[in-house]
């Protein structure tokens, strides 16, 4: 594993899940693996779980951790090639990444979709620049189109909670929100579920279809109640329109996940990447119920990150 930006960077998902669960059982099993190595965690956007879980994971491996809140603590970055920098940007990403190359053995970066220019977001205008200029491995802590460490943690969580001798039904359901939300988590979850031994479907209102590149041949329901029938796992997430990019078409039906809807499932476990807007995306009674495995899912962010960091370290020269 030279970089980690999507599931395509993993050769064997089940082996990675197995390794993650072994690490969870003994997080300090490789305390010196990263000794003498430095990971730079670069945040162009806000974070809670990604920041803390990545730091814990790195420390568990003995890595030296540098954290840069680039949007607040660094110079304003320019991302355009050939830019005449006579405006508000002070440092080109080419130069910033080259400096990070000097300081770090691994660069991990978090950057959100701008939600202004569809082409820029689809083409990963920010992450692609880090990949272009980095001379060390690059790990995505979320990008415009994917959130791979979250999705890996989701796979770990589903595996932990499924003991029956059949494929579980997993439903990714759209939920309401007060503002346009990017597609990264929904795209990524879809991509990873397509590599799992699960019966996976998506539920979203008309006008909220995801990028067909990610959906592929996955069944999509526009009736949430129909999709939730016999569900074993429900992943709740909001996203804005992809076709009419970042728009929020009117939705008349109530898509918030409630206990009444949950009662119609196979006593389904409920998942969400957090942060969650309570009583908008899902109700308090669902969030705080025994069906919720959301905090377990959040804890598993440590072990998804630690597994990936461990794999990356295996590729570094000693």
């Amino acid at each position: 594993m030279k970089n980690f930006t999507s599931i395509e960077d993993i050769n064997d998902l089940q082996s990675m899940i197995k390794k993650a669960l072994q690490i969870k059982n003994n997080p300090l099993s490789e305390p010196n693996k990263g000794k003498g190595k430095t990971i730079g965690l670069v945040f162009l956007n806000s974070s809670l779980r990604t920041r803390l879980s990545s730091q814990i994971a790195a420390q568990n491996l003995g890595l030296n951790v540098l954290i840069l809140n680039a949007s607040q603590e660094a110079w304003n970055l320019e991302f355009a090639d050939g830019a005449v920098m006579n405006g508000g940007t002070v440092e080109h990403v080419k130069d910033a990444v080259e400096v990070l190359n000097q300081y770090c053995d691994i660069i991990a970066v978090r950057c959100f979709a701008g939600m202004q220019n569809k082409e820029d977001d689809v083409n990963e205008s920010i992450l692609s620049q880090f990949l272009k200029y980095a001379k060390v491995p690059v790990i995505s802590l979320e990008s415009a189109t994917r959130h791979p460490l979250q999705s890996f943690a989701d796979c770990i969580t589903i595996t932990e909670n499924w003991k029956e001798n059949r494929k579980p039904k997993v439903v990714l359901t759209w939920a309401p929100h007060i503002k346009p939300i990017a597609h990264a988590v929904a795209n990524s979850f879809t991509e990873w579920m397509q590599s799992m031994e699960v019966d996976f479907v998506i539920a979203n209102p008309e006008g909220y279809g995801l990028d067909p590149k990610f959906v592929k041949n996955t069944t999509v329901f526009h009736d949430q109640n129909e999709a939730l029938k016999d569900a074993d796992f429900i992943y709740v997430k909001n996203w804005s329109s992809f076709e009419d990019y970042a728009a929020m078409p009117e939705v008349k039906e109530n898509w918030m996940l409630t206990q009444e809807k949950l009662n119609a499932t196979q006593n389904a476990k409920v998942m969400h990447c957090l942060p969650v807007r309570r009583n908008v995306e899902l109700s308090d009674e669902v969030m705080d119920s025994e069906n919720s495995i959301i905090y377990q899912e959040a804890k598993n962010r440590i072990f998804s990150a630690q597994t990936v960091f461990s794999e990356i370290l295996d590729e570094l020269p000693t």
Side-chain angles (χ1 to χ4, degrees), residues 9-304:
D9 293 312
I10 290 180
N11 292 325
D12 186 336
L13 177 55
Q14 289 304 313
S15 293
M16 287 285 283
I17 293 172
K18 182 179 180 180
K19 178 173 179 176
L21 291 171
Q22 290 170 342
I23 288 173
K24 184 173 183 177
N25 189 53
N26 185 6
L28 299 179
S29 59
E30 300 177 300
N32 297 310
K33 189 167 191 176
K35 185 177 181 180
K37 304 293 185 182
T38 297
I39 184 169
L41 306 179
V42 182
F43 292 90
L44 279 74
N45 298 96
S46 57
S47 176
L48 189 158
R49 279 148 298 279
T50 300
R51 180 187 308 270
L52 298 181
S53 63
S54 297
Q55 187 171 1
I56 293 168
Q59 290 172 341
N60 285 348
L61 292 165
L63 278 159
N64 181 40
V65 184
L66 301 179
I67 299 177
L68 177 63
N69 300 312
S71 61
Q72 300 169 352
E73 300 171 349
W75 302 112
N76 291 335
L77 292 176
E78 175 62 58
F79 291 95
D81 287 335
V84 177
M85 293 174 55
N86 58 359
T89 56
V90 179
E91 185 163 24
H92 199 283
V93 65
K94 177 192 298 187
D95 304 316
V97 174
E98 183 55 48
V99 172
L100 289 170
N101 286 331
Q102 311 304 313
Y103 299 160
C104 304
D105 300 283
I106 303 169
I107 299 171
V109 60
R110 179 177 176 89
C111 52
F112 290 170
M115 304 297 289
Q116 300 295 321
N117 185 304
K118 183 177 183 177
E119 184 178 359
D120 281 351
D121 289 345
V122 168
N123 292 325
E124 294 285 7
S125 61
I126 297 176
L127 179 63
S128 63
Q129 300 261 32
F130 277 81
L131 290 166
K132 178 179 180 180
Y133 297 119
K135 297 173 182 174
V136 300
V138 173
I139 296 171
S140 171
L141 301 178
E142 186 172 3
S143 68
T145 64
R146 292 177 170 96
H147 196 347
L149 286 177
Q150 176 65 56
S151 299
F152 184 21
D154 298 334
C155 292
I156 297 166
T157 307
I158 289 172
T159 300
E160 282 183 308
N161 284 278
W162 189 247
K163 304 303 179 187
E164 295 190 34
N165 190 26
R166 64 176 176 86
K167 289 184 180 180
K169 181 178 179 180
V170 180
V171 181
L172 169 63
T173 180
W174 181 92
H177 209 284
I178 66 169
K179 63 180 183 180
I181 298 295
H183 307 90
V185 172
N187 286 343
S188 198
F189 185 74
T190 297
E191 198 169 45
W192 287 66
M193 286 302 104
Q194 289 165 349
S195 294
M196 290 279 284
E197 288 294 317
V198 300
D199 176 14
F200 176 61
V201 302
I202 301 171
N204 59 257
E206 295 279 359
Y208 284 89
L210 294 168
D211 184 344
K213 180 180 78 173
F214 290 96
V215 175
K216 296 180 181 176
N217 60 352
T218 299
T219 301
V220 178
F221 291 88
H222 298 305
D223 182 329
Q224 187 186 41
N225 292 325
E226 185 67 24
L228 293 179
K229 286 181 181 177
D230 300 323
D232 297 296
F233 295 90
I234 304 172
Y235 201 100
V236 180
K237 188 70 183 83
N238 175 265
W239 59 87
S240 55
S241 174
F242 178 76
E243 184 176 357
D244 185 8
Y245 196 64
M248 298 176 66
E250 181 183 3
V251 177
K252 295 181 180 179
E253 300 85 0
N254 177 17
W255 279 72
M256 181 176 75
L257 185 64
T258 62
Q259 187 63 46
E260 181 180 0
K261 293 178 181 179
L262 195 58
N263 289 341
T265 70
Q266 294 268 30
N267 198 31
K269 301 293 186 182
V270 178
M271 304 174 70
H272 191 288
C273 63
L274 295 175
V276 63
R277 289 185 180 261
R278 285 172 174 257
N279 303 308
V280 175
E281 296 177 82
L282 48 76
S283 65
D284 278 338
E285 60 183 352
V286 172
M287 181 74 186
D288 299 326
S289 72
E290 292 183 355
N291 294 74
S292 173
I293 53 174
I294 292 171
Y295 302 132
Q296 178 185 351
E297 184 184 359
K299 184 173 183 178
N300 283 337
R301 291 294 309 278
I302 298 170
F303 311 113
S304 67

